[in-house]
Amino acid sequence: MGERADSGSSMKILVADLIVPSWCSFRIPHAVNVHSTFPAPPPTTLYGLIANALGLFPDDYSLQDQLELNVGILDFGETVETLSRWQKWNVSKDQWYTLLIKQKIIQPAYRLYIRGEDELLNEVEAALNQPARILYLGESDDMIEVYVKGIIEATPSQSSIIHNVLPLSAHSAINTEGNSYVVRWPVRFLEEARSTAVQYEMVTIQKHFKLQNKMKCYYLPEIQQYIHLEGVLENE
């Protein structure tokens, strides 16, 4: 499958590998006693990781509109179910205990792609190398190892091979190899008058995509990958 360079200006992408040495979980917030997990960290989780590295307050979304985030899969890991007994009033059994089923992903690995202005990318890169706080991914006890690959000059291109998560609306039919998931996941926080809401988007998650048709993307020569970004920073 041929790829070709496209006309347009290059841009800088900060790339970092996120290695989970034990387990992690990215809860799908639709059930009470069954906590299913997304197969990869959504943008809201990735933003929380960056905010934590920078030492921002938990509800500080001031950089959200200045960063564009996406994630690739290096290793899906193994998804397992755990069973916990919570001290919580169980109405059906008239007792103070209830069972909780929680999915966890064992030793996955992800690749984080960050787009932003040069000064901010440099700041985030420094923070990921020397974070203000201990970094975790998902729940607060799910520690991770971050390996910053650096800020890479990405060039506009067109390719039928894509190496990161794709919005369902962005691609044509695909050839599926290995695990493939279509999920509705949180892409950004929405600050409302009395609370914080979340915006969702349908996406497809695979290790890499083989599309029937080429699509506009960016090529990262140092890691030999083609990635898709929405272009929201430039209203593309």
Side-chain angles (χ1 to χ4, degrees), residues 38-108:
F38 292 110
T44 49
T45 299
L46 298 173
Y47 178 80
L49 170 72
I50 294 169
N52 199 32
L54 291 167
L56 302 181
F57 288 110
D59 58 350
D60 186 342
Y61 309 123
S62 60
L63 297 181
Q64 180 177 240
D65 293 334
Q66 301 177 51
L67 296 171
E68 188 170 354
L69 311 175
N70 205 332
V71 65
I73 310 297
L74 300 177
D75 191 333
F76 271 110
E78 178 186 0
T79 300
V80 300
E81 289 187 349
T82 64
L83 190 63
S84 304
R85 195 182 187 196
W86 277 21
Q87 187 170 349
K88 174 183 175 182
W89 181 250
N90 188 326
V91 177
S92 62
K93 294 186 177 181
D94 194 29
Q95 63 181 22
W96 276 101
Y97 291 97
T98 189
L99 294 179
L100 172 68
I101 298 174
K102 179 182 289 188
Q103 288 186 333
K104 288 184 176 290
I105 308 174
I106 309 297
Q107 296 183 325

Side-chain angles (χ1 to χ4, degrees), residues 180-230:
S180 180
Y181 304 88
V182 175
V183 301
R184 178 176 177 267
W185 73 349
V187 295
R188 60 180 285 109
F189 297 104
L190 302 173
E191 295 188 72
E192 298 183 346
R194 296 185 178 180
S195 64
T196 300
V198 177
Q199 177 182 333
Y200 287 85
E201 182 178 24
M202 296 297 296
V203 300
T204 310
I205 302 173
Q206 293 182 194
K207 267 193 173 181
H208 66 272
F209 293 83
K210 292 184 177 180
L211 307 178
Q212 287 187 353
N213 301 310
K214 293 180 181 180
M215 66 179 295
K216 290 184 178 180
C217 59
Y218 287 92
Y219 178 60
L220 283 66
E222 294 180 33
I223 56 175
Q224 297 183 343
Q225 286 190 333
Y226 294 87
I227 67 168
H228 169 78
L229 290 170
E230 292 281 67

Side-chain angles (χ1 to χ4, degrees), residues 3-187:
E3 285 74 34
R4 68 177 179 83
D6 202 359
S7 60
S9 59
S10 62
M11 66 177 180
K12 294 180 179 179
I13 305 292
L14 173 57
V15 180
D17 289 349
L18 311 177
I19 311 300
V20 181
S22 53
W23 60 71
C24 59
S25 182
F26 316 112
R27 183 187 174 190
I28 301 175
H30 300 311
V32 177
N33 291 337
V34 179
H35 293 184
S36 300
T37 180
F38 292 110
T44 49
T45 299
L46 298 173
Y47 178 80
L49 170 72
I50 294 169
N52 199 32
L54 291 167
L56 302 181
F57 288 110
D59 58 350
D60 186 342
Y61 309 123
S62 60
L63 297 181
Q64 180 177 240
D65 293 334
Q66 301 177 51
L67 296 171
E68 188 170 354
L69 311 175
N70 205 332
V71 65
I73 310 297
L74 300 177
D75 191 333
F76 271 110
E78 178 186 0
T79 300
V80 300
E81 289 187 349
T82 64
L83 190 63
S84 304
R85 195 182 187 196
W86 277 21
Q87 187 170 349
K88 174 183 175 182
W89 181 250
N90 188 326
V91 177
S92 62
K93 294 186 177 181
D94 194 29
Q95 63 181 22
W96 276 101
Y97 291 97
T98 189
L99 294 179
L100 172 68
I101 298 174
K102 179 182 289 188
Q103 288 186 333
K104 288 184 176 290
I105 308 174
I106 309 297
Q107 296 183 325
Y110 309 104
R111 178 160 288 170
L112 170 61
Y113 306 95
I114 309 172
R115 179 187 180 189
E117 296 294 332
D118 290 358
E119 184 177 350
L120 181 54
L121 282 187
N122 290 331
E123 184 180 352
V124 173
E125 180 183 29
L128 290 176
N129 279 314
Q130 293 186 319
R133 295 191 285 263
I134 295 176
L135 298 183
Y136 59 88
L137 196 64
E139 298 181 331
S140 59
D141 57 350
D142 298 343
M143 302 297 110
I144 63 163
E145 299 170 1
V146 178
Y147 298 93
V148 177
K149 303 190 77 68
I151 297 175
I152 299 176
E153 193 84 20
T155 56
S157 183
Q158 290 191 24
S159 175
S160 55
I161 304 294
I162 303 294
H163 294 93
N164 60 351
V165 172
L166 283 178
L168 195 60
S169 60
H171 63 79
S172 58
I174 59 176
N175 294 324
T176 302
E177 295 181 358
N179 295 338
S180 180
Y181 304 88
V182 175
V183 301
R184 178 176 177 267
W185 73 349
V187 295

